Amino acid sequence: MSSQTPSRQAPQSTGKPADAPTRRHLLVGLGAAGAAGVAVTALPLVKTAAPAAAPEVLAAAPEAGGGYQVTQHVLRYYQTTRV
């Protein structure tokens, strides 16, 4: 019995230099150029923030509570979250 080992062949060269442009590089470049074009076009549309207005004064909380209230809607929510 003779043992046959598969012969390994050296990878064949495609004849292209290693840094030759490929379709992938072209598509990536086109995508980057398109994104840059959109950014340049949209940049003038960005408005600067308006000057800060005077801060709104919040109403004081009621003395006798009046904040959180357990209503029918809240109770129904709690029933739906039970496991």
Side-chain angles (χ1 to χ4, degrees):
M1 264 189 144
S2 67
S3 75
Q4 295 181 354
T5 58
S7 63
R8 295 187 183 213
Q9 296 177 354
Q12 295 182 357
S13 174
T14 60
K16 294 182 184 178
D19 60 346
T22 61
R23 186 181 306 160
R24 180 177 292 168
H25 290 114
L26 175 68
L27 293 175
V28 168
L30 287 174
V38 168
V40 169
T41 303
L43 191 59
L45 301 177
V46 176
K47 296 180 181 178
T48 57
E56 295 180 21
V57 178
L58 298 176
E63 296 280 330
Y68 178 79
Q69 296 176 0
V70 179
T71 61
Q72 194 64 27
H73 177 266
V74 172
L75 292 174
R76 186 171 46 240
Y77 170 76
Y78 286 147
Q79 288 176 352
T80 61
T81 58
R82 289 188 184 151
V83 179

